[in-house]
Amino acid sequence: MVQRTCIVVIISLILSSFSYLGAAYLNLTLPGQHPFPEQVVHDVHRKVNASIARREMLQTSLRDQSSSTYSSCLTGNPIDDCWKCDPDWPNNRQRLADCAIGFGQYAVGGKGGKYYIVTDSSDDDAVNPKPGTLRYAVIQTEPLWIVFPQNMLIKLSQELIFNSYKTLDGRGANVHIVGGGCITLQYISNVIIHNIHIHHCHVSGNANVRSSPSHYGYRTESDGDGISIFGAKDIWIDHCSLSHCKDGLIDAVMGSTGITISNNLFSHHNEVMLLGHSDDYTPDSGMQVTIAFNHFGENLVQRMPRCRRGYIHVVNNDFTRWEMYAIGGSGNPTINSQGNRYTAPIDRNAKEVTKRVETGEGEWRSWNWRSEGDIMVNGAYFVASGEGVEVKYEKAYSVEPKSAVLIDMLTLHAGPLGVGSRDNNVGMWSTGPNGGTSGLGSGPDYTDEMSGNGSRSVPVSTSSAFILFFSLLLSLSTLLFWYAASDTHYFTIKYNL
């Protein structure tokens, strides 16, 4: 009897520890999931506050030394401050792997691996890629830090299927990836994608594609996502621009987790970001995603993101209008919105930031959706819900100038660095054009309009004709006592309505 009582007490203690802060669902630790997501949220705030404090302190003490390299590099953005303040960073590129925050902070990419220089922009053979091409690099089994010696336009013939432990580092070059399927991260871990333009991705497939040096297989038709994260973990996407794709710009599904999406520029797209396979796919309850310092720019319609299950932290982003809604969800996801600026469109029927998709109020009132310190502009309002939160409609209000300036500062360099209007003198190989030319060519495959090069202009209003494209197992494993020695980080998700 004593033995049985002890077992009950121990199980009770473990279960209570996993239901941290009264989560809406039992927070069992799945592989890759952080058991206490609120701790990760607080850590993000701590790092942001520390970077802002350092910036303000140096601005005060060095106001007469405006030429100081160290003081000028400080932005208040903890990711950028982490590596850009090193004057010799081009020769210490792998320092970047230590700079992620949030749920994707454990993504090491190709840290510790060899540098691989992409010398050939072609992609003629998806089964037998040539050495020197990007496809040859990403399928290798060992860690690689992949860099570009010059500006490149890489036109993919099929999905670019990554292997684990890879960093795509586009700093110092103007690198564009377009074409068939674009980037696929499937059942892998530890990938960093930094400073890349990804756009005009279309459906591909019904063809053989190599995924490792020893394996290739038949791929059915892809969705045409910019980046597809499928059953993957420890992923960090930073300082990229994404636009004009057939399906989602970034979709994460099927038990993906441990993802940070930061400092990116999103524009010209309908269904921007999907996190979660379906309402019924219970392994996505372990999805944990940080969305920080991004600029959601012109001509976006919906899904910034659209969430199913999981824990989504949306922090310090700039949303400059939407056509339908900014943040949506179903299947009881937890959405923690903090310190964002939401600028509503002119359409008075689209002022609400949030949308509960195909769910009645009687059900969604218990979902944990909260807004803290967000700035509401042009009539925007956030409908909060959950335990201890009175459902309220936060109408637009005047904001302290300091708060607005903070958002501008944190998202100032969203998108790729060192190209277009954002010349930050970054680059190991070349910060200028190749031999007096852009190196990207012109014509039907590439135009300036396709580049999405960082314009931050706000659209006056977009005709509702833009909405033409809008489409509509838990293996609960075992109770997983201490899944200790495995990488306990996080999960993310994807799919369609």
Side-chain angles (χ1 to χ4, degrees), residues 11-71:
I11 291 176
S12 299
L13 287 171
I14 291 172
L15 290 180
S16 65
S17 71
F18 279 106
S19 57
Y20 185 67
L21 293 182
Y25 53 83
L26 184 61
N27 188 9
L28 299 178
T29 306
L30 300 173
Q33 179 190 14
H34 197 289
F36 304 122
E38 295 291 341
Q39 291 181 357
V40 178
V41 168
H42 293 320
D43 186 55
V44 169
H45 289 307
R46 181 184 62 78
K47 289 176 179 176
V48 172
N49 291 337
S51 287
I52 291 170
R54 281 195 301 271
R55 182 179 191 270
E56 292 176 345
M57 179 181 68
L58 275 157
Q59 278 183 327
T60 301
S61 62
L62 300 173
R63 65 165 61 94
D64 297 325
Q65 304 175 40
S66 57
S67 61
S68 167
T69 301
Y70 187 65
S71 63

Side-chain angles (χ1 to χ4, degrees), residues 102-165:
F103 291 117
Q105 65 185 292
Y106 297 103
V108 298
K111 183 179 179 181
K114 296 177 181 176
Y115 283 92
Y116 177 101
I117 302 174
V118 179
T119 57
D120 186 341
S121 64
S122 69
D123 188 50
D124 302 326
D125 192 336
V127 176
N128 297 300
K130 292 182 290 185
T133 62
L134 176 59
R135 187 177 296 276
Y136 184 90
V138 300
I139 64 171
Q140 301 305 311
T141 53
E142 72 269 23
L144 289 176
W145 199 277
I146 302 166
V147 294
F148 302 82
Q150 61 188 16
N151 298 340
M152 283 189 180
L153 171 64
I154 298 173
K155 304 174 188 176
L156 299 175
S157 58
Q158 298 290 338
E159 292 172 88
L160 188 66
I161 302 177
F162 276 55
N163 215 326
S164 296
Y165 297 97

Side-chain angles (χ1 to χ4, degrees), residues 154-386:
I154 298 173
K155 304 174 188 176
L156 299 175
S157 58
Q158 298 290 338
E159 292 172 88
L160 188 66
I161 302 177
F162 276 55
N163 215 326
S164 296
Y165 297 97
K166 301 293 178 290
T167 295
L168 226 56
D169 183 356
R171 288 174 293 177
N174 192 355
V175 180
H176 291 249
I177 294 177
V178 302
C182 285
I183 292 174
T184 296
L185 311 177
Q186 181 169 318
Y187 299 129
I188 61 169
S189 68
N190 289 285
V191 169
I192 298 172
I193 301 173
H194 184 87
N195 220 69
I196 306 289
H197 297 267
I198 302 165
H199 53 94
H200 290 85
C201 303
H202 56 72
V203 172
S204 65
N206 296 322
N208 286 319
V209 180
R210 186 168 293 279
S211 58
S212 76
S214 60
H215 177 267
Y216 71 85
Y218 187 79
R219 301 288 293 181
T220 57
E221 194 171 84
S222 68
D223 291 338
D225 295 332
I227 301 176
S228 174
I229 306 171
F230 191 100
K233 65 178 181 177
D234 299 331
I235 308 295
W236 181 27
I237 302 164
D238 187 55
H239 276 300
C240 294
S241 72
L242 298 104
S243 64
H244 296 99
C245 292
K246 177 64 176 176
D247 192 28
L249 295 182
I250 299 176
D251 281 5
V253 296
M254 303 301 289
S256 298
T257 195
I259 299 170
T260 292
I261 299 168
S262 57
N263 292 310
N264 300 291
L265 172 65
F266 300 94
S267 66
H268 300 92
H269 199 72
N270 177 10
E271 297 174 336
V272 178
M273 191 186 307
L274 177 63
L275 306 177
H277 173 75
S278 70
D279 293 355
D280 300 325
Y281 191 72
T282 48
D284 281 341
S285 297
M287 167 180 57
Q288 295 173 324
V289 183
T290 299
I291 300 172
F293 318 138
N294 302 285
H295 181 68
F296 292 90
E298 49 187 323
N299 296 335
L300 298 177
V301 179
Q302 58 179 318
R303 297 189 175 184
M304 296 170 250
R306 190 260 197 248
C307 315
R308 297 183 174 108
R309 299 182 172 269
Y311 187 109
I312 316 302
H313 186 206
V314 184
V315 57
N316 294 140
N317 301 278
D318 194 6
F319 294 79
T320 51
R321 307 194 185 178
W322 51 86
E323 293 296 313
M324 293 177 62
Y325 65 87
I327 297 176
S330 59
N332 191 12
T334 294
I335 295 176
N336 188 358
S337 173
Q338 296 180 310
N340 303 283
R341 179 167 59 193
Y342 295 104
T343 303
I346 293 173
D347 183 356
R348 62 182 180 182
N349 295 314
K351 300 293 188 183
E352 185 178 342
V353 172
T354 50
K355 179 180 177 63
R356 277 76 171 179
V357 181
E358 297 179 353
T359 308
E361 184 174 349
E363 182 178 347
W364 63 252
R365 285 182 70 92
S366 63
W367 296 358
N368 189 6
W369 290 27
R370 60 185 186 264
S371 168
E372 297 175 348
D374 290 327
I375 299 168
M376 305 293 169
V377 182
N378 198 29
Y381 65 95
F382 187 107
V383 180
S385 60

Side-chain angles (χ1 to χ4, degrees), residues 423-441:
D423 186 2
N424 293 284
N425 297 318
V426 294
M428 183 175 187
W429 318 107
S430 167
T431 57
N434 303 320
T437 65
S438 70
L440 293 175

